Amino acid sequence: MTKSRAVIVGASHAGAQLAASLRQEKWDGEIILIGNESALPYQRPPLSKAYLAGKNTLEDLAIRSAEFYAKQDIQLQDATVDAIDRPAGQLALSNGESLRYDKLALCLGARARRLPAPGADLAGVFYLRTAADVELIREAAATARRAVIVGGGYIGLETAASLRALGLDVTVLEATERVLERVTAPEVSAFFDRIHREEGVVVRTGALVQALTGDAQVREVVLTSGENISADIVIIGIGVEPNVELAAAAGLVVDNGILIDSHARTSDPDIVAAGDCASQDIARYGRRIRLESVSSAGEQAKVAAAAMCDKPKEIAALPWFWSDQYDLKLQIAGLNTGYDEVILSGDPARDRDFTCFYLRDGELIAADCVNRPRDFMFSKRVITQRTPVLREELVGQSVR
Ligand code: FAD
C-alpha cells in the first residue's frame, strides 16, 4: 500500500517547523519539504542584522541540521512549485515533474515589495529578503561609501545599523512623517530616530523617492522635493507582498494572504497554510490579519501540522516580534492595533532602555520593550491571560 504523502511547499520558518511538527504529531507517511532557495531552511531575521554585518555564516543560520531532516525522514527537495491541480492532488514543478500529494501545506512566505520608481532596476539597487540578496549587498558594500536606505521600517533601520557597523555613511529615507510609523507609537519612533542620528545615520522623514538615476550604476536618489542624494548603493525596504498567486490560481480563497481558519486550514480541507503567506481572522483584534513574524509562522505551522493529522488545535499563542539595532534589543509583545492610550516606563527621549505599553479601553494589548526583557515577559503573560493591571504598576514596571 502506498504511504500517505504530505507535501510542504516553502522551506523556511513555517515549512521547517511544519515538517518537524508533523513527526511530533505522529504522521507516519512521507514528508516532502520543497524549497527553492537551494539551502537548508535558514533563519531569516539575522539577514538584516548579524549576517549583513558579517558576524555569522549561512551555516550558522540553519534552522535545523541536515542530520535532523534525515533522522526524521523528511525529504528536502529543491524545486519551485508552479501549479496545484486540486482535483488530481498533484503539483506541477518547474523542472517539468509532477508530484502527488495527499495533504498539502503552503508555506510560501512573502517577497520584498518593489519600488515603483524609474531607475529601480539600476545596478547597485538591492532588496533584502533572502541570504542571496544579502550576499550581493555585502559584496557591493565592501567598495561603497554612501548607502541610501529607502524605508524606515524595521528592516530599513536594522540595515542602517548593520551598514554603520561596516563603516558606511548611511541615509534613511522614510516617506511618512516618522520612522516605524505603521507599527509603533510616536514616542517609540522618536526614540529610534534619536538613536540612529546619535549613531551617525542621516534620517530623513517625509522623503518621497521620485526616481533613482545613474548610468548603469545608481548614483543618485531623486526626491519629489527635487533634492538629489548621492548613493553608491541603495537598499529598498518598503514592506513585503505575500506569495499567494499559486493558491489563488488553484481557486483557494485569498484575501491579503491565503485565508486560513483558526486550525490553519484553507478553503480546501486537504490544504493548510502557515506563515507570512497566510491571513486569518483574529477575534481579539476584531479583524483579518496577516502576521509577519517567526513566532506566528511557528505557531501556525504547529497548528497546521495537527490539522493535517486530524487532531485540530487552535492558533492561540500571542504574536510577538523582535528587532536588534546597535546594542538595543526591542521585543514586542502582542499587536497594538486599536490602542487608545500609551504608558511609558522609562524615558525614551533620554535613556537606552524603556517600555511603551499600549492599552485599549484600559486593557494592556501590546508592549514595545527596549532592553527590558523582564517587561517583555511580564507583558506577554499579562496580555495572554488578560490580567487587569493598574496604570501605576506599568509605570513602575522597571523598578519592580
Ligand atoms: P518565508 O521565510 O518568506 O519563506 C517562504 C519560502 O518559500 C521561501 O524560501 C520562498 O522562496 C519559498 N517559496 C515561495 N514560493 C515557492 C514555490 N512556489 N515553490 C517553492 N518554494 C517557494 N521576524 C521576526 O519575528 N523577527 C525579526 O527580527 C525579523 N527580522 C526580519 C529581517 C528580515 C531581513 C526579513 C526579510 C524578515 C524578518 N522577519 C522577522 C520576518 C520573518 O523572517 C518572517 O516572518 C518569516 O521568515 C516567515 O516565514 P515563512 O516560512 O512564512 O516565509
Side-chain angles (χ1 to χ4, degrees):
M1 205 179 82
T2 8
K3 275 193 162 186
S4 290
R5 178 184 284 170
V7 178
I8 304 164
V9 188
S12 179
H13 287 279
Q17 179 61 55
L18 208 153
S21 295
L22 273 176
R23 287 292 179 229
Q24 277 158 8
E25 296 287 352
K26 310 281 180 248
W27 175 272
D28 62 359
E30 284 182 88
I31 301 177
I32 302 178
L33 176 56
I34 302 181
N36 60 3
E37 287 196 65
S38 309
L40 272 182
Y42 62 88
Q43 300 167 54
R44 218 169 280 286
L47 293 184
S48 48
K49 309 176 180 86
Y51 191 61
L52 176 58
K55 292 184 190 153
N56 51 23
T57 65
L58 193 52
E59 288 69 50
D60 298 331
L61 304 193
I63 294 174
R64 311 263 193 183
S65 65
E67 294 73 47
F68 172 84
Y69 299 103
K71 207 167 150 203
Q72 296 292 319
D73 195 13
I74 296 165
Q75 303 169 47
L76 298 177
Q77 196 168 330
D78 181 10
T80 297
V81 173
D82 282 344
I84 307 167
D85 179 346
R86 289 165 53 206
Q90 296 266 4
L91 302 177
L93 308 187
S94 55
N95 59 14
E97 290 174 14
S98 59
L99 189 68
R100 175 188 67 78
Y101 69 83
D102 295 299
K103 296 280 181 190
L104 178 64
L106 299 177
C107 301
L108 308 167
R111 57 182 180 270
R113 181 173 295 132
R114 303 280 130 175
L115 181 74
D121 53 353
L122 285 167
V125 180
F126 301 97
Y127 293 87
L128 203 169
R129 180 74 195 176
T130 66
D133 292 336
V134 177
E135 275 138 35
L136 292 174
I137 296 171
R138 281 210 303 221
E139 196 184 319
T143 53
R145 191 167 62 79
R146 294 157 307 187
V148 173
I149 296 167
V150 181
Y154 288 120
I155 289 187
L157 295 184
E158 289 178 357
T159 302
S162 300
L163 293 181
R164 284 299 293 148
L166 293 177
L168 274 76
D169 293 343
V170 179
T171 301
V172 172
L173 303 176
E174 166 54 43
T176 68
E177 287 313 309
R178 56 186 174 93
V179 297
L180 302 176
E181 201 239 13
R182 198 172 56 88
V183 284
T184 66
E187 292 85 345
V188 182
S189 296
F191 170 80
F192 281 100
D193 192 292
R194 168 176 73 85
I195 295 294
H196 280 275
R197 287 176 202 273
E198 285 175 6
E199 298 286 346
V201 174
V202 177
V203 180
R204 303 280 307 266
T205 55
L208 259 174
V209 175
Q210 185 166 57
L212 307 180
T213 58
D215 22 65
Q217 168 74 32
V218 70
R219 296 282 171 226
E220 281 183 335
V221 180
V222 182
L223 302 184
T224 49
S225 62
E227 203 180 333
N228 291 355
I229 299 170
S230 299
D232 301 318
I233 56 171
V234 174
I235 294 149
I236 298 169
I238 55 170
V240 298
E241 285 170 5
N243 293 323
V244 295
E245 292 75 5
L246 195 62
L252 297 178
V253 178
V254 165
D255 177 14
N256 176 38
I258 304 166
L259 190 62
I260 55 171
D261 64 11
S262 59
H263 305 295
R265 295 178 303 211
T266 69
S267 48
D268 180 325
D270 290 326
I271 306 181
V272 295
D276 282 16
C277 68
S279 68
Q280 61 174 123
D281 292 317
I282 306 186
R284 177 149 191 195
Y285 300 104
R287 66 183 182 103
R288 190 162 287 175
I289 301 180
R290 193 174 56 72
L291 297 161
E292 293 167 12
S293 79
V294 166
S295 68
S296 303
E299 168 75 357
Q300 291 170 352
K302 288 178 193 165
V303 171
M308 288 167 94
C309 298
D310 293 322
K311 301 176 191 168
K313 289 181 182 164
E314 296 264 333
I315 299 170
L318 186 77
W320 63 274
F321 191 83
W322 76 95
S323 175
D324 299 333
Q325 299 167 41
Y326 311 107
D327 59 324
L328 306 174
K329 183 158 206 74
L330 166 68
Q331 292 170 295
I332 303 166
L335 300 179
N336 64 17
T337 314
Y339 75 89
D340 52 27
E341 183 182 355
V342 298
I343 293 181
L344 294 170
S345 168
D347 182 359
R350 214 191 47 212
D351 303 338
R352 274 178 103 90
D353 73 293
F354 73 98
T355 293
C356 177
F357 296 102
Y358 297 87
L359 289 84
R360 188 177 57 211
D361 300 329
E363 180 185 344
L364 184 64
I365 56 165
D368 294 342
C369 314
V370 176
N371 287 354
R372 292 268 188 106
R374 288 176 48 175
D375 284 7
F376 174 66
M377 296 312 291
F378 163 87
S379 302
K380 257 178 102 173
R381 191 180 69 240
V382 167
I383 300 166
T384 303
Q385 296 171 357
R386 306 190 87 154
T387 315
V389 277
L390 297 171
R391 288 174 173 72
E392 303 76 62
E393 264 186 88
L394 296 180
V395 177
Q397 199 49 33
S398 58
V399 290
R400 86 186 165 280

